[in-house]
Amino acid sequence: MTQLPPSSRGLHPDLPRTALVDSSPTALIVGDAPVRLWGLSSRQRIGKQLQRLQIAQAPIGATAGPGAMVGSVVVVHAGWVYDEPLLAALTQAAVGTLLLDEISGKAVAAKVSAAQAASLARALETGSEPPTGLQSRTPATLASHYNNKLRKRETPYLLPLSAGTLAAIEKRMFAGSYKGVTDAITKYLWPLPARHVTKWCANVGITPNQVTFVSLLMVIAAFQCFWTGHFGFGLVAAWIMTFLDTVDGKLARVTLNSSKFGDVFDHGIDLIHPPFWWWAWIVGLGAVGLPLPASAAVLAIVVVGYVAQRLEEALFMKAFGIEMHIWRRFDSWFRLITARRNPNLLLLTLALMFGRPDLGMLAVAAWTVLCFFVHALQIVQAFAARRQGAITSWLSH
């Protein structure tokens, strides 16, 4: 048994804790689809998924002749789009498991013995009846689970791929790449434009790391503009950065294109830059004649408060094994507005619209303090609740 390789940028939606990939199956891809999805043919996409699951593909003609393949074989029809946890669950399933599309009832994939692989492959390609004696499963009965990485409960998708279904599939896949619990801007404002930009990037071959590099340039540009008091230009750069921060992760997920470097590059930028922006904003207030009377204290509040809230989240995770923001419904709702980068940028943007960037920073400082105490209360409540039993996410129920 081989451990599922670690995920980068959330590309592998989390599998159940017992999910270990059986290293013995061989994969056989049959059929094809007439369209490309996120810049990849269906066979290319399935091949990448199998590679990430450490499942070797059988060569062309492998089913020919006696003893051509041994052990178990996962046969997959490429006319369908498979969520990766669904393929992973199929590779772990018992030999003799047949995967059906829940809507049409068609057989689309199976894990069978090598002796059955050729007949099953023909059945899938021609649409005829599969071999008898197989146990039929649907995505809901085979792989429905709570996705810890993306903080939501979901049934992995299984979708027929054609020119007529392509747009709907792209929309479904993109929505599936989103975290269920995040800030309000990312959750409600960015999805539609980000989907179109992500599709364009995929079609022209732009990689997630290239998008992340542009977002880094926007981080630097925003810092420079804030520092010199050009708050409007700085906010434009900052909001572009937050948008690209959505695009790079989604592009990586839908194109199955990730790396350990990309994971560190993306999340490192996200983690480090916000305090530098707030520092630059405070300096810029002096440049435009609106210095804060206690600028050092305000800077300490926003920087120390940012670090302290990150430490609170880490403490919650270490103490209870789940993220703070997915424990209760209130915690997930509060994540929409908690004092992180995007909600703070919204406060600064509104303040600048009224010509008072100084009041915007004071609002950020006050909101940071309030959110720190809310998170502290959440931790205290969780310790109290643990006396009654384990702390689990409301999303997993």
Side-chain angles (χ1 to χ4, degrees):
M1 303 289 284
T2 308
Q3 185 74 37
L4 185 68
S7 165
S8 293
R9 300 187 188 221
L11 286 174
H12 277 299
D14 289 1
L15 298 171
R17 291 183 182 275
T18 57
L20 297 176
V21 177
D22 181 358
S23 60
S24 61
T26 301
L28 182 64
I29 303 175
V30 300
D32 207 346
V35 293
R36 298 174 73 86
L37 180 62
W38 301 110
L40 298 172
S41 71
S42 183
R43 281 181 166 265
Q44 287 174 326
R45 170 170 293 277
I46 294 172
K48 276 193 169 189
Q49 291 175 314
L50 293 169
Q51 183 180 18
R52 286 151 53 88
L53 295 170
Q54 300 181 351
I55 303 297
Q57 291 187 54
I60 296 176
T63 59
M69 289 191 295
V70 296
S72 59
V73 181
V74 175
V75 185
V76 181
H77 195 295
W80 300 74
V81 182
Y82 304 81
D83 202 358
E84 194 163 306
L86 185 59
L87 282 182
L90 183 62
T91 65
Q92 300 155 26
V95 174
T97 298
L98 180 69
L99 179 61
L100 303 180
D101 169 44
E102 197 164 23
I103 297 177
S104 67
K106 290 183 178 179
V108 299
K111 183 177 180 180
V112 296
S113 66
Q116 296 175 296
S119 60
L120 178 64
R122 286 193 298 271
L124 294 183
E125 285 191 284
T126 61
S128 57
E129 288 294 320
T132 60
L134 301 179
Q135 181 183 10
S136 298
R137 305 286 292 276
T138 64
T141 60
L142 182 62
S144 182
H145 70 288
Y146 172 67
N147 185 327
N148 187 59
K149 185 74 178 180
L150 296 182
R151 307 170 194 159
K152 56 188 175 183
R153 171 163 286 280
E154 59 185 1
T155 296
Y157 52 75
L158 173 64
L159 306 167
L161 181 58
S162 66
T165 63
L166 180 61
I169 289 175
E170 288 179 337
K171 185 176 181 179
R172 170 65 181 84
M173 290 181 66
F174 188 81
S177 71
Y178 251 84
K179 289 182 178 179
V181 178
T182 186
D183 68 87
I185 300 297
T186 302
K187 189 175 182 68
Y188 299 117
L189 182 61
W190 289 154
L192 180 60
R195 177 160 58 90
H196 292 293
V197 173
T198 299
K199 181 177 180 179
W200 178 79
C201 290
N203 288 338
V204 302
I206 294 175
T207 68
N209 285 347
Q210 289 170 335
V211 176
T212 305
F213 179 74
V214 176
S215 73
L216 174 59
L217 297 181
M218 293 298 101
V219 167
I220 297 170
F223 177 86
Q224 178 63 28
C225 289
F226 292 160
W227 188 273
T228 56
H230 295 90
F231 298 117
F233 291 115
L235 285 171
V236 170
W239 283 119
I240 291 174
M241 184 275 166
T242 71
F243 177 73
L244 294 179
D245 186 38
T246 291
V247 171
D248 61 4
K250 308 307 173 287
L251 180 63
R253 293 186 183 106
V254 299
T255 62
L256 308 177
N257 189 3
S258 67
S259 66
K260 290 183 178 180
F261 170 77
D263 190 34
V264 173
F265 187 29
D266 180 34
H267 290 96
I269 293 172
D270 293 346
L271 182 66
I272 293 172
H273 78 270
F276 288 93
W277 279 0
W278 316 148
W279 174 37
W281 189 283
I282 292 171
V283 172
L285 289 173
V288 297
L290 291 171
L292 295 176
S295 59
V298 175
L299 177 61
I301 289 172
V302 296
V303 173
V304 175
Y306 172 80
V307 175
Q309 288 181 81
R310 288 290 192 170
L311 292 176
E312 286 176 318
E313 294 173 359
L315 172 61
F316 197 99
M317 173 67 79
K318 182 175 179 60
F320 308 111
I322 63 170
E323 291 191 26
M324 173 186 293
H325 306 296
I326 62 172
W327 175 27
R328 302 164 302 186
R329 288 181 182 271
F330 168 81
D331 307 314
S332 296
W333 171 82
F334 194 69
R335 177 62 179 88
L336 292 170
I337 57 174
T338 195
R340 297 277 282 266
R341 180 193 64 203
N342 289 1
N344 286 347
L345 277 178
L346 183 58
L347 290 175
L348 294 174
T349 301
L350 292 174
L352 184 65
M353 290 173 62
F354 287 97
R356 293 303 301 270
D358 53 333
L359 296 183
M361 183 51 63
L362 291 177
V364 168
W367 187 233
T368 298
V369 171
L370 179 60
C371 290
F372 170 81
F373 284 111
V374 171
H375 294 325
L377 180 59
Q378 289 170 305
I379 294 172
V380 172
Q381 291 173 330
F383 274 112
R386 192 168 63 176
R387 298 174 185 172
Q388 308 301 320
I391 299 295
T392 59
S393 171
W394 71 275
L395 294 167
S396 64
H397 299 156

